[in-house]
Amino acid sequence: MKKYFLTPMIFFSLALSACSLAPEFQRPEMALPAGWSKVAGVGTTAQQSTSAFWQELGSEELNRVIEVALAQNLDLEAALYRIEQARAQAKIAGSALYPSVDVSAGASRTFQDQKNTTAARGLGSISYEVDLWGKNRNQLAAANHRADSAQYDRDALQLIIVSDTATFYTQILSLNERIRIAQDNLKNAEEVLRITEARFREGSISGLGVSQQRVAVNNIRAALTSLTEQRSTNLNALAILLGQAPQNIQPPRTDFSSLTMPAVNLTPPASLLKARPDIESVEAGLRAGDADIGVARAAFFPSLTLGADASIAAGFGNPAAAAASLAGNILAPIFTGGRLTGNLEDVTARQKQLAAQYQKTVLTAFQEVEDALAALKSNNEQAVLSSESVKESQNAYDIAKARLDPGAVDYLNLLETQRALYQAEDNQISIMQGQFASFIQLRKALGT
């Protein structure tokens, strides 16, 4: 049967199914900027980056943490199964391009005049829809493009996962450093309180100075409690990204000061169209939409189905009999109550929606890069100023504390220099963390 009927049907269908009614794909027209506007003060390089952005931060511990996130993150695992579902749907869509073969068999026994007669019958049928207008091929193309879109969605999710992991990791390290600073300042404040209480007992200062220093100590203790809570919250969030229970995660041990602030390799705006997986995902959806329009257009035209049936009968004591037939069936839509027209209007409107979504996604990508550049520039400038502030605050505090015992300085000046030093050191670490966060955000926005 395969030799005499299936092969001619395939050749016949290939000769007829040469046309497609899907529109040719074109990206929506957009005016792409030639460059970025907020580059000055960012610290860029023209050298092409050859490593992942988190590797440029110089932490082997972070590299291992990212590896765990890529291997164990549950959102990424779920996205992988969504890809498998999309690929399975593509297989289903592609099945229409091949013949359908069905086989059934049966047996019977008759009793007549004390004679038993046993007979067996086998039935086989082959049907094949000739893809005259490219409907089936466009259905497969649409399914494949949607599978590609699912893959790009996972790539986009992966970029978010590694960026969030790196951000939480650096945030935890910065909080470790801020907690250390707060603990050091608490020791200094408690030492000043001890001296102040001794002076009060001697009668050399009033109770006002004691109360003010106790308030300063309590404020630092409260800040230390808040910082510890923030570290726990960030550590819990990191655990979820790693696919672990918060109770089981090991806190990072790297010193914040060991991280390296890399220069930024800025690619031109047009490169984002291929670098950003979220843009690629929407483009794949656009391509699927074009194929859907081809399917909807093909529904207005006749469809041709070829079929072959065969039967074989054999009986004990009866001669075997076989029969075969080949038939074709043409079905043309005449009146569908607006269903075909409505379907075409639906997929066409969806395609226009996707085009608008594509443009919005590209513009949002440009915005994210500009925002990250602005944040990185601001943090870089603040970092220079904060370094000077810490240096001067430390100098002022050392002088004030040295003059406290002889009583050569007003006590309120000491309190002010103490608070200024704590704030300057804490602010410096916060700004440094902002530098790393904005760098990570920029690389994510660039899709690299």
Side-chain angles (χ1 to χ4, degrees), residues 263-382:
V264 177
N265 172 46
L266 271 181
T267 54
S271 67
L272 267 61
L273 301 184
K274 289 298 182 183
R276 295 258 310 211
D278 57 337
I279 297 177
E280 290 272 53
S281 175
V282 181
E283 180 176 319
L286 278 169
R287 295 180 183 274
D290 282 341
D292 286 338
I293 291 176
V295 174
R297 288 174 176 174
F300 286 89
F301 296 90
S303 61
L304 172 63
T305 302
L306 301 178
D309 295 303
S311 63
I312 300 175
F316 295 97
N318 291 329
S325 64
L326 176 64
N329 180 43
I330 296 179
L331 179 64
I334 297 177
F335 177 74
T336 60
R339 175 176 57 84
L340 299 181
T341 302
N343 183 53
L344 179 58
E345 291 174 350
D346 176 57
V347 295
T348 302
R350 173 170 171 75
Q351 187 69 345
K352 293 178 180 179
Q353 172 198 336
L354 289 172
Q357 181 181 343
Y358 178 88
Q359 293 173 308
K360 176 65 179 301
T361 303
V362 173
L363 292 177
T364 301
F366 292 160
Q367 177 194 357
E368 290 175 353
V369 174
E370 291 286 357
D371 288 349
L373 283 171
L376 186 55
K377 177 183 177 181
S378 175
N379 281 301
N380 287 348
E381 293 173 352
Q382 292 181 61

Side-chain angles (χ1 to χ4, degrees), residues 112-164:
Q112 185 176 5
D113 297 332
Q114 298 182 349
K115 293 182 180 180
N116 295 337
T117 302
T118 302
R121 178 175 293 274
L123 302 175
S125 65
I126 301 176
S127 63
Y128 180 67
E129 181 182 357
V130 181
D131 198 15
L132 294 175
W133 316 108
K135 181 188 73 172
N136 296 335
R137 282 176 290 132
N138 281 320
Q139 285 179 336
L140 175 59
N144 281 330
H145 288 311
R146 290 192 173 93
D148 292 339
S149 180
Q151 179 64 60
Y152 288 127
D153 286 342
R154 184 187 184 277
D155 294 342
L157 177 61
Q158 178 173 300
L159 187 58
I160 293 173
I161 294 300
V162 296
S163 299
D164 288 351

Side-chain angles (χ1 to χ4, degrees), residues 13 30 58 80 83 134 151 203 224 229 265 301 325 357 380 382 386 392 410 431 444:
S13 66
M30 297 186 64
L80 183 62
I83 295 173
Q151 179 64 60
L224 184 57
E229 177 190 1
N265 172 46
F301 296 90
S325 64
Q357 181 181 343
N380 287 348
Q382 292 181 61
S386 67
E392 295 299 329
D410 184 83
I431 291 173
K444 181 177 75 170

Side-chain angles (χ1 to χ4, degrees), residues 64-101:
R64 292 191 294 271
V65 169
I66 294 292
E67 290 177 0
V68 174
L70 293 175
Q72 298 180 186
N73 183 268
L74 297 177
D75 288 328
L76 285 178
E77 183 178 353
L80 183 62
Y81 291 125
R82 287 194 291 271
I83 295 173
E84 292 183 2
Q85 292 174 34
R87 296 298 181 197
Q89 290 297 321
K91 288 182 180 180
I92 295 172
S95 65
L97 294 171
Y98 297 93
S100 175
V101 181

